[in-house]
Amino acid sequence: MTFHIPPHRPKTPGAQAFLTDAPKKLLIANEWHDAAGGGTFATHDPASGALLAQIAEGTTADAGSAVAAARAALSDPAWRDMKPSQRGRLLWTIADLIEAHADELAELETLDQGKSWATSRMAEIPAAAEQFRYYAGFANKILGQTIPTSIGYHPPGKKIFAYTAREPVGVVAAITPWNSPLLMAAMKLAPALCAGCTVVLKPAEETSLTALRLGELLIEAGLPAGVVNIVTGFGAVVGAHLTAHRDVDKVAFTGSTEVGRMIVAAAQGNLKKLTLELGGKSPAIVMPDADLDLALPGVARGIFANSGQVCVAGSRAYVHSSLHDAFVEGLAREASRLRLGHGLDSDTDLGPLVSAGQAARVAAYVDEGKADGADIAAGGTRLGADSAFFSPTVVAGVRPDMRLMREEIFGPVIAVTTFDEPEEALAHANDTDYGLAASVWTQDLSAAHRLAAGIRAGTVWINCHSYFSPELPKGGHGESGWGYENGAQGLENYLETKTVCAVI
Ligand code: ADP
């Protein structure tokens, strides 16, 4: 089957004005620049293959200029001395601007990444605004403590007065992936700005458009020059330079475990602080008493949303053997109901993957599983040789040693197998180097919380999968990462503690 999707011209005036023939530029110190050397690269609509824009191909020199601008902004009184409530207002204004431009941002996101309009417009763009609103309220509540001390070697008649102050960690390199571009950028920018840091943002090369449009909105919001700089370009050049740069104090990264390891190595030079949100292979455990009316659409959404290109996607299901056949049949039904098409078409449930290359990668996993004897209960096909579309796929009879069960596929593919005892389900769930997320489907409260306690993962959902909110810390155990995003913990990653101790 081949999919021919005609090119979509942008409909919103904002996206039309943004997608002109002129190449998109880098943002350094609130000015838009061509890349040093003038290079550009193309970004395409993955559904139709149409060219969307040329984008400045940042160099190491550009990354260096952006870091210098961020370093200078850190001690610029316009930013350093901004009152906390003013920083909060600025974050709130950014949220207002994202909401005011939500239609065009959603259109740009869908054109560039492929995801459905509903996912962009109803979920991710509002969630990006919500990140700024959440941290807006924190900006004037970042507090130190006064601390009574116990050791008494101060001069007679004197006493110790000690307190802590919280300070921004400094210049942050924020490196984001292509699956949820604006939301991932917001998850780093909002806490960084709340803490008073300055940022160099490097969006994924496949999906830079909404970050660049956000750059325009940040200027409109009144962010002082150099506080946020955006350098588009390739990870091996711009990303690698930022992660090794001695004037970058912290890297906030979301992406693959493989690149996460490279960043750990690159960051050694000046021992940068790191937060790494990496890969996952999140299990869904379906207990014998699970309510299938809830579990089937819930597990389906957990794997097929955004075509499976979600770090926490529930990509392996362990189903009690008493429910297995009904579950596989039901999940296959859910999968085959999903309509594929251009993300901007109103009857589309699932768009393409981010690129034809990603669809080929997914196809290779499924073909290998088939060759190893797994059963394709639904989907399993790439829609055309050069297409970025892959049908929602349910694979049953997957053994624990198969790559389908072990590796992050980042596509709409779920591997299913059975268990008989809860301990067995738990052992399967934890049989992974990852530890990002999991879901448990049961009506038995005790069983749900016992499983939640036993699963090694940063997030466990009960009777849902992929529920997010800026209040909820999100991070990975094991090789799924270091540190947390969101919530009060997410802010901690952008702050240092200074202890001041005085004899008075
Ligand atoms: P994914 O393909 O899952 O999005 P990647 O880990 O390949 O994840 O990419 C995530 C981000 O990391 C992208 O912005 C990419 O450009 C960037 N990146 C890739 N290689 C490097 C590297 N060596 N150093 C720093 N950043 C990199």
Side-chain angles (χ1 to χ4, degrees), residues 81-394:
D81 301 338
M82 187 181 277
K83 297 270 182 287
S85 72
Q86 187 57 31
R87 260 197 340 267
R89 279 167 192 255
L90 203 48
L91 288 165
W92 195 266
T93 303
I94 295 168
D96 284 345
L97 284 169
I98 292 174
E99 280 174 355
H101 294 272
D103 284 344
E104 89 187 60
L105 286 165
E107 189 172 30
L108 289 172
E109 200 77 300
T110 290
L111 280 170
D112 206 12
Q113 201 275 349
K115 65 182 75 238
S116 70
W117 167 257
T119 305
S120 294
R121 182 61 185 87
M122 307 305 156
E124 294 192 6
I125 305 301
E130 233 15 83
Q131 289 289 328
F132 288 98
R133 292 221 190 284
Y134 176 74
Y135 285 109
F138 251 117
N140 59 357
K141 296 168 195 72
I142 298 173
L143 307 175
Q145 294 177 312
T146 55
I147 304 173
T149 56
S150 300
I151 306 290
Y153 51 76
H154 45 78
K158 299 279 189 181
K159 61 181 193 169
I160 296 287
F161 172 54
Y163 61 92
T164 53
R166 310 306 308 279
E167 297 179 348
V169 73
V171 174
V172 175
I175 301 180
T176 51
W178 45 254
N179 59 343
S180 297
L182 189 74
L183 179 56
M184 293 292 141
M187 282 171 70
K188 292 165 176 54
L189 287 172
L193 298 180
C194 175
C197 294
T198 60
V199 181
V200 179
L201 170 64
K202 200 224 74 75
E205 43 272 49
E206 296 85 350
T207 54
S208 306
L209 294 180
T210 47
L212 292 171
R213 184 67 185 106
L214 177 66
E216 295 176 349
L217 298 178
L218 295 177
I219 297 174
E220 194 178 330
L223 209 60
V227 173
V228 174
N229 308 274
I230 304 174
V231 184
T232 45
F234 291 91
V237 179
V238 177
H241 194 69
L242 291 173
T243 54
H245 200 297
R246 291 196 68 83
D247 249 351
V248 170
D249 301 295
K250 171 190 163 62
V251 176
F253 172 75
T254 300
S256 60
T257 295
E258 184 193 352
V259 173
R261 284 188 222 284
M262 289 184 207
I263 290 176
V264 170
Q268 282 183 50
N270 64 338
L271 294 174
K272 290 176 182 63
K273 309 287 183 284
L274 297 179
T275 37
L276 305 171
E277 214 263 59
L278 307 177
K281 188 73 187 171
S282 301
I285 298 179
V286 183
M287 296 291 280
D289 66 337
D291 174 357
L292 286 189
D293 290 340
L294 196 63
L296 285 169
V299 171
R301 189 178 158 274
I303 180 61
F304 299 133
N306 205 19
S307 301
Q309 302 164 114
V310 178
C311 52
V312 297
S315 54
R316 49 191 179 118
Y318 300 100
V319 183
H320 190 264
S321 48
S322 63
L323 290 183
H324 175 264
D325 292 355
F327 182 85
V328 169
E329 204 183 300
L331 198 61
R333 215 171 29 244
E334 295 283 339
S336 51
R337 255 208 293 265
L338 296 169
R339 295 159 303 182
L340 272 62
H342 195 288
L344 293 178
D345 288 340
S346 55
D347 54 0
T348 292
D349 297 309
L350 283 191
L353 301 192
V354 73
S355 64
Q358 183 62 13
R361 194 175 160 269
V362 173
Y365 274 106
V366 173
D367 290 346
E368 184 183 299
K370 265 195 261 187
D372 284 349
D375 304 324
I376 307 296
T381 44
R382 186 176 172 197
L383 306 186
D386 299 324
S387 153
F389 286 90
F390 199 89
S391 54
T393 298
V394 179

